[in-house]
Every structure is written in C-alpha cells, then in structure tokens.
Amino acid sequence: MEIHSWSLKELQDHLRKGDLSPREAVEGLDAAVAERDPAVQAYLSRDLESALRLADEADVNLPLGGIPIAIKDVINVEGQPCTCSSKILEGAYLSPYNATAITKLRAAGAIPFGRTNMDEFAMGSSTENSGIQVTHNPWDPERIPGGSSGGSAAAVAADEAFAALGTDTGGSIRQPAALCGCVGLKPTYGRVSRYGLVAFASSLDQIGPITKTIEDSAMLLQAISGADPRDSTCLDKPVPDYTAALGKDLKGVRVGLPREYFAEGIDPQVKSAVEAAIEVLSSLGAEMVELSLPHTEPAIAVYYIIATAEASTNLARFDGVRYGHRTAAAEDLMTHYGRTRAEGFGPEVKRRIILGTYVLSSGYHDEYYLRAQKVRTLIREDFSKAFEKADVLLSPTSPTPAFRIGEKVDDPLQMYLADIFTIAANLAGICAISVPCGFANAESGITLPVGLQLLGPAFGEEALLRVAHAYEQATDWSSKKPPLAPAKSGA
Ligand code: GLN
C-alpha cells in the first residue's frame, strides 16, 4: 500500500475502516521518509519510538485519531528537541511542555511526527537561513522550497507527511506551500493559540496547516483553533465546523482583485496561471470586483520595522543563562552574553536583531517604530474597506516560482521582496490561504508549482475554505506529483 501518498482524509477513512492500524500508518510514513528525505532534507529529526507508542494508544474515532502530523521545529512538543533551526538551541534544548496547538492535536487523537526544517527562528523565505541544513524543493532539488516553513511544505509535497503544521509571520506558511504545490492556510491572528510557539514577532505570528487538500486544511484548522487562557491574544470566539463550509457553490460570492497586487514584477507564467484561476472562479459563479489597497507599497518596509523590533525583544531571552548554547569563552558577564549570541545566532538573525534594536532605540523610536505602527493601521483600514466590497480577495501568493538555491542569499532585500503579497495579511491580522493553481515551465523542462492566494476578513476562514474548495474541485493541480516523490509502479 502506498499509504504515504494519501491525504489526511484518505488516511482517516482507511484507519476507520480498519484497513490498517495507526502503527502501520506511522511505520509506512517513516519508511517513505527514510527513502526520500536524504534527497529532500525536510526533517531535522523524528522520534519513531514515541510516535509508535502514541499510535498504539490511538483512538481512530477521534477527529484526527491515529494520524501523524509533521511539526515545524519552532513549536514545542514535550520531550522533543525544538531547535528553531538555530545553533543556539540545537543539541541544547528539549521541550519541557506542549504548545497549545499540540495539546489540541493530541486531544483530537493526532500524533506529532518529526520536526521539520525552517529558516532560523522563522526569518527567511527560502529555508536557506536554517543553521542546520538546506531543504530541497521536491519539484527541483536545485531550488528552494520557500520559507520559513520550507521543511513542512517540502515534506507534504514529497509525500513524507500527510499534513504538517507551519507558522506564518509574513508569509511563511503560504509562500512555501505555493512553491511546493501544497495548500497553506494562515489563520486570523487570535484564531490559534501561540502558547508554546517560539516567538519571532508576537503581533504577527500564527500557527497553521500545510496540507495536500482543502478538506485536510479544514480538518487540521478545526483541531488547533480556539481560545486558550495561556495566550491572551487568542480570542474566545466559537470555532465553526470548517468542513461544513466545503462543497458549496460560488453563486453570489464577490472576489476582490486588488489593483496593486497585479502590478509589474510578477513572473509572466505566474500571472497567466492566476488569470486562468480568475476565469475558473468566474465560471463557477463568483463575481469579480476590482478594488484598491492603496497602502500596499509601504507594507514591506512597515513589516521589516515591526517584525525586527519585536524579534529583537523576543530573542533577548537567548542569553546562555537559562537554556540553549553557552559560550565556553566567557571572561565576564558581558562577554558571556556577547559570545554566546555571536556563536549561536546565524547572520540573518543577527541582522534582524541589530535592525530591530536600532528602530526601537531612543531618538529613532518615533521616527521608525511609531510611524510604522501608524501605517500598519492604514493597511488594516484598507482591508476593512475592501471587505465591504468583496467577500474574499485574490492575488498570486508569490511573484515568482521557486528560485535557485543560492540565488538570493547575498541580497537580503531581494529575498524580502518574495513576501510582497503575503505580508499585509499579517499586518492586518486577517486570514489567507494559498492553493495550487498551475505550473510554470522553468528552463530545462522543469515544472514548478504556482500558488493562488485568497485573503479573507478576520475570522473569515469559512469563506476562504469555501472558495478554495470550489476552485480545487474544478481543477486538477494536486494530482501531479513532484519528481522527488515518485509514485511507485502500481500505485
Ligand atoms: N519571509 C518573511 C521574513 O523573513 C516572513 C517569515 C515568516 O512568515 N515567518 O520575515
């Protein structure tokens, strides 16, 4: 049985019918990872023994009973490493507790399986900033899988995971999902608890699902959503039945096309894939509405002020005193701090701490940080106005398909531009999803997935899932498998 190629829903059906046991599911997945991951490098570690123990206890009648889920290495799972792909935590930290998203997954019967690679502390768009390893895009091993949740997306795309959790601060679920040909959903800020997620930028971070299908996305979102007394920013709003949003038609649904998101700079093949998707949605009965998000241009600058400011404070806790790497070369307290951090953090993390400290420093605080907060409010208002005219908004997820490993590492500004369409959703706190919408033909005959982004108002996940599902059902993009996930003969 080629069980690893199943979606989460298919695995659930087979487990419930008794075609296989949760133990066999974990073992089958583990075998696929052992075979494929040497080429993909999506996983940093996996604890088969504990996954098998949980599999043996699993109740398959629970919502996700017996289903293994890959976890981005920034979310705490009790007893497991949580490196954030950083030398400052690698080999020096085991989680003493579960993140709330994990507690909820466990309550739904799911099994945390393996830790996936990422950009260090989730800072990046290619997973090349990992302090541990480089992950390869399953569609072309010479290309990046996107980031920062590149390990999670590559694992799902290569059939090395049925589904995965990622995190999204400025696009880190959606962009890698787009570049690997998966579905990635960033929930509304406050939908999913951040307790136990190692903080990058606390006012922007959200945990969310990376999956093979929209239905799987709804199922996983269902399991991790909801209030948490341990995260005061997580809202006490009822969690709807997300799968009930699926299977509805699109008559009367208004899809907004933000003018600024179709400006120059988009790869022509990405553009034509997205335009074709607009045609499909129209043919399904959706009404297209042209509109404007006038404060789109400063969004990247605003993000890189707010995110770095918050990161500089959040990362102050890595001081070699309480946990993580500790320098062997301390002469006094200041050299202890300085050398611990110099040895432990990689170059992008250092760049952001320096930038963030600068924008918060006295004399510059008002000019940068405060001003960025004001523009953030304008960006949020742009979206409120847009959602008076449209139920969801549509854009490309990423302006280009996956780029080559090494292509942008020496040019951080170029790398930052990869997030041009995803960042505003985090600044506004709204929800967004990326859905496969076709392929671009790169030179040398390589095909690379393209992602369509749908944005919804705060707590509008049902509308996103409804539109995304109708689109997915009307198209066939998910049936094509990447070369690094070959279907075995007879599969
Ligand atoms: N690529 C963006 C950054 O580098 C977003 C990262 C993320 O969403 N975690 O900050």
Side-chain angles (χ1 to χ4, degrees):
M1 256 184 299
E2 294 294 322
I3 66 150
H4 50 267
S5 64
W6 292 342
S7 68
L8 194 147
K9 174 65 178 159
E10 286 170 327
L11 176 61
Q12 181 189 61
D13 290 344
H14 284 289
L15 287 171
R16 287 186 178 171
K17 274 196 258 160
D19 297 345
L20 83 169
S21 66
R23 168 174 276 266
E24 287 167 326
V26 169
E27 284 172 345
L29 182 62
D30 189 67
V33 177
E35 182 192 317
R36 289 151 187 225
D37 213 45
V40 180
Q41 303 270 302
Y43 284 94
L44 293 172
S45 61
R46 60 194 200 279
D47 180 351
L48 182 60
E49 208 177 297
S50 84
L52 288 174
R53 189 165 28 79
L54 296 178
D56 288 339
E57 299 163 1
D59 173 356
V60 297
N61 292 312
L62 288 170
L64 297 177
I67 296 177
I69 308 284
I71 311 292
K72 185 177 182 181
D73 207 22
V74 68
I75 302 169
N76 281 279
V77 175
E78 189 179 345
Q80 310 242 327
C82 183
T83 69
C84 304
S85 289
S86 180
K87 295 262 181 267
I88 214 157
L89 287 171
E90 189 190 16
Y93 176 76
L94 285 182
S95 302
Y97 68 110
N98 277 331
T100 297
I102 300 300
T103 306
K104 286 185 186 280
L105 276 188
R106 289 291 304 125
I111 301 167
F113 175 88
R115 316 281 311 165
T116 55
N117 193 26
M118 52 185 281
D119 286 297
E120 184 175 6
F121 286 104
M123 298 175 185
S125 308
S126 68
T127 312
E128 291 165 293
N129 293 337
S130 169
I132 302 178
Q133 69 194 29
V134 171
T135 296
H136 301 266
N137 191 313
W139 293 90
D140 175 7
E142 289 181 9
R143 291 176 196 259
I144 57 99
S148 65
S149 312
S152 289
V156 172
D159 283 337
E160 294 183 38
F162 298 101
L165 289 188
T167 65
D168 193 310
T169 305
S172 279
I173 288 174
R174 291 159 284 159
Q175 185 257 19
L179 303 193
C180 289
C182 320
V183 174
L185 190 152
K186 181 203 94 72
T188 304
Y189 187 78
R191 179 72 295 183
V192 179
S193 169
R194 292 180 295 110
Y195 178 75
L197 158 64
V198 179
F200 161 14
S202 310
S203 78
L204 302 162
D205 300 338
Q206 272 292 290
I207 299 173
I210 298 182
T211 56
K212 298 178 187 179
T213 69
I214 302 294
E215 184 176 28
D216 290 1
S217 186
M219 288 166 69
L220 200 45
L221 177 67
Q222 191 83 44
I224 61 174
S225 293
D228 179 10
R230 291 187 162 115
D231 173 5
S232 60
T233 65
C234 185
L235 266 71
D236 187 6
K237 253 178 115 54
V239 180
D241 178 356
Y242 288 118
T243 50
L246 311 180
K248 298 191 175 148
D249 69 34
L250 297 187
K251 299 227 166 53
V253 173
R254 298 165 304 164
V255 177
L257 306 176
R259 206 166 297 134
E260 295 77 6
Y261 283 38
F262 290 89
E264 72 274 23
I266 303 176
D267 176 280
Q269 296 192 70
V270 170
K271 199 162 183 203
S272 56
V274 171
E275 282 167 357
I278 295 173
E279 293 298 314
V280 172
L281 289 171
S282 303
S283 73
L284 293 171
E287 182 197 330
M288 298 297 147
V289 185
E290 276 203 31
L291 46 79
S292 168
L293 296 168
H295 299 93
T296 294
E297 204 229 291
I300 289 200
V302 167
Y303 171 85
Y304 278 96
I305 292 171
I306 292 175
T308 58
E310 293 182 15
S312 73
T313 356
N314 276 325
L315 269 57
R317 69 188 58 144
F318 299 99
D319 57 7
V321 175
R322 285 159 292 195
Y323 40 70
H325 171 72
R326 174 180 293 189
T327 184
E331 284 150 24
D332 50 28
L333 189 62
M334 286 319 283
T335 53
H336 163 88
Y337 289 148
R339 287 181 191 158
T340 292
R341 288 162 70 81
E343 290 162 10
F345 289 137
E348 182 63 24
V349 175
K350 287 177 185 159
R351 181 180 298 126
R352 302 227 185 166
I353 292 172
I354 292 167
L355 205 60
T357 307
Y358 178 77
V359 300
L360 288 176
S361 58
S362 77
Y364 294 101
H365 180 275
D366 289 4
E367 201 173 323
Y368 291 108
Y369 184 69
L370 214 61
R371 183 155 349 152
Q373 293 290 13
K374 289 179 182 165
V375 182
R376 182 179 188 173
T377 303
L378 297 174
I379 292 170
R380 191 179 296 135
E381 287 171 1
D382 278 1
F383 281 102
S384 305
K385 286 186 196 132
F387 287 121
E388 288 168 9
K389 298 190 189 123
D391 302 299
V392 299
L393 310 180
L394 180 153
S395 79
T397 306
S398 159
T400 65
F403 44 91
R404 285 210 165 68
I405 291 171
E407 194 177 318
K408 297 191 184 182
V409 277
D410 296 327
D411 190 347
L413 283 180
Q414 271 305 315
M415 191 75 93
Y416 297 171
L417 286 172
D419 305 317
I420 190 143
F421 300 132
T422 51
I423 261 172
N426 302 73
L427 291 169
I430 60 174
C431 58
I433 194 167
S434 179
V435 194
C437 76
F439 293 92
N441 293 310
E443 67 273 38
S444 70
I446 288 164
T447 47
L448 300 171
V450 176
L452 174 76
Q453 177 175 238
L454 298 167
L455 303 112
F459 296 94
E461 282 83 358
E462 287 169 289
L464 288 186
L465 291 164
R466 175 181 173 187
V467 178
H469 186 253
Y471 175 74
E472 174 194 54
Q473 297 302 304
T475 53
D476 189 29
W477 305 119
S478 314
S479 63
K480 194 165 154 54
K481 292 281 179 187
L484 284 189
K488 289 225 176 103
S489 51

